[in-house]
């Protein structure tokens, strides 16, 4: 199985800050990397697919970059509603593993 | 509106059998894979497996193969996740999810069900 390592596991930032979360797979996955946001008691929501694509409805302050074994999710200007847990996921090879999650708190 | 609607919460005893469902609407159900994702209490997300309703092609996570069964009935636009003998460790929230593109297996999930909470306790 491909192991997905996210960092940090948690962070606290202020409204308006630029926030970066990193995801590193244990082997190369080309651009088969997706990012999700999950709020307590809710299903995950797709934020970025195929490393850098924004699905319709996702706020433009979210962006993704990277390929191979190094990926980044960036929130350009943090908003109060961005308080959530963020997961990366590889869809390169079965089983499609997720990172352990990054819990983002608003100061 | 494209949506996946899951069956309701279940409380079962160890050794019981269970089948939960996920009904798709607003799109061509036969042409999109449906995956199942597990989330144990307070934990992360785990991809369990997926089914293609068009021909019932199924793929499983190796760690879960033999522990669960995934199926679909395209005539009623419904996918299923089934256990023959539940354990306490099966206690979790279970989500079904649909990928972005039709026919695409290696894809992100943009449509999610609301989740089905399964509690297994004696």
């Amino acid at each position: 199985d491909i192991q997905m390592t996210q960092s940090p596991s948690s962070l606290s930032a202020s409204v308006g800050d630029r926030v970066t979360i990193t995801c590193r797979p244990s082997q190369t996955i080309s651009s088969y990397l997706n990012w999700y946001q999950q709020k307590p008691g809710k299903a995950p929501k797709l934020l970025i697919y195929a490393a850098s694509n924004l699905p319709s409805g996702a706020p433009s302050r979210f962006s993704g970059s990277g390929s191979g074994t190094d990926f980044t999710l960036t929130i350009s200007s943090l908003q109060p509603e961005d308080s959530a847990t963020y997961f990366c996921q590889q869809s390169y090879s079965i089983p499609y593993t997720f990172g352990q999650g990054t819990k983002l708190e608003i100061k | 509106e494209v949506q996946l609607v899951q069956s309701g919460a279940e409380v079962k005893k160890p050794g019981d059998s269970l089948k939960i469902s996920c009904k798709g609407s607003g799109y061509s159900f036969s042409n999109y894979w449906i995956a199942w994702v597990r989330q144990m209490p307070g934990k992360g997300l785990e991809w369990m497996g997926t089914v293609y309703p068009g021909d019932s092609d199924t793929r499983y996570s190796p760690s879960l193969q033999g522990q669960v069964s995934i199926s679909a009935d395209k005539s009623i636009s419904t996918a299923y996740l089934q256990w023959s003998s539940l354990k306490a460790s099966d206690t979790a929230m279970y989500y079904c999810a649909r990928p972005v593109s039709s026919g695409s297996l290696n894809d992100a999930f943009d449509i999610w069900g609301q989740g089905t909470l399964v509690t297994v306790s004696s």
Side-chain angles (χ1 to χ4, degrees):
Chain A
D1 298 5
I2 297 175
Q3 307 303 314
M4 306 297 288
T5 303
Q6 282 182 238
S7 60
S9 296
S10 63
L11 76 150
S12 181
S14 301
V15 172
D17 282 355
R18 182 181 182 88
V19 169
T20 298
I21 299 169
T22 297
C23 182
R24 291 194 170 92
S26 59
Q27 64 188 74
T28 185
I29 59 169
S30 184
S31 295
Y32 290 91
L33 192 283
N34 313 303
W35 291 97
Y36 300 89
Q37 176 193 65
Q38 188 179 33
K39 296 184 177 180
K42 299 293 187 182
K45 176 186 172 184
L46 180 64
L47 284 180
I48 297 288
Y49 67 97
S52 60
N53 294 279
L54 197 71
S56 60
S60 58
R61 62 182 178 276
F62 292 95
S63 65
S65 64
S67 68
T69 59
D70 197 356
F71 298 87
T72 299
L73 173 70
T74 299
I75 309 173
S76 60
S77 178
L78 193 64
Q79 298 301 303
E81 60 267 31
D82 299 336
S83 176
T85 300
Y86 294 82
F87 295 95
C88 62
Q89 179 221 9
Q90 62 84 14
S91 51
Y92 180 78
S93 70
I94 285 172
Y96 296 145
T97 42
F98 291 84
Q100 81 278 15
T102 294
K103 189 170 184 178
L104 174 57
E105 172 196 273
I106 310 297
K107 285 181 187 172
Chain B
E1 179 192 6
V2 175
Q3 59 179 351
L4 297 172
V5 178
Q6 298 184 227
S7 50
E10 302 274 1
V11 179
K12 293 290 186 181
K13 295 189 184 315
D16 283 353
S17 62
L18 176 64
K19 192 174 190 177
I20 62 175
S21 66
C22 168
K23 184 173 176 61
S25 61
Y27 72 99
S28 180
F29 185 79
S30 295
N31 295 340
Y32 286 77
W33 292 85
I34 292 286
W36 287 95
V37 176
R38 177 170 74 177
Q39 188 166 38
M40 293 178 172
K43 301 298 183 183
L45 302 167
E46 180 182 12
W47 183 91
M48 302 177 70
T50 188
V51 60
Y52 189 73
D55 62 6
S56 293
D57 187 7
T58 310
R59 316 289 171 88
Y60 292 93
S61 172
S63 67
L64 290 170
Q65 182 124 31
Q67 310 301 310
V68 296
S69 177
I70 294 171
S71 61
D73 184 342
K74 63 183 180 182
S75 70
I76 54 172
S77 300
T78 301
Y80 302 98
L81 177 64
Q82 184 172 6
W83 296 260
S84 58
S85 180
L86 286 160
K87 309 181 192 71
S89 57
D90 293 317
T91 294
M93 181 71 81
Y94 293 87
Y95 295 101
C96 60
R98 194 207 77 167
V100 173
S101 302
S102 66
S104 178
L105 183 56
N106 301 74
D107 205 351
F109 304 126
D110 66 339
I111 305 295
W112 291 71
Q114 82 277 19
T116 296
L117 181 62
V118 173
T119 304
V120 183
S121 174
S122 54

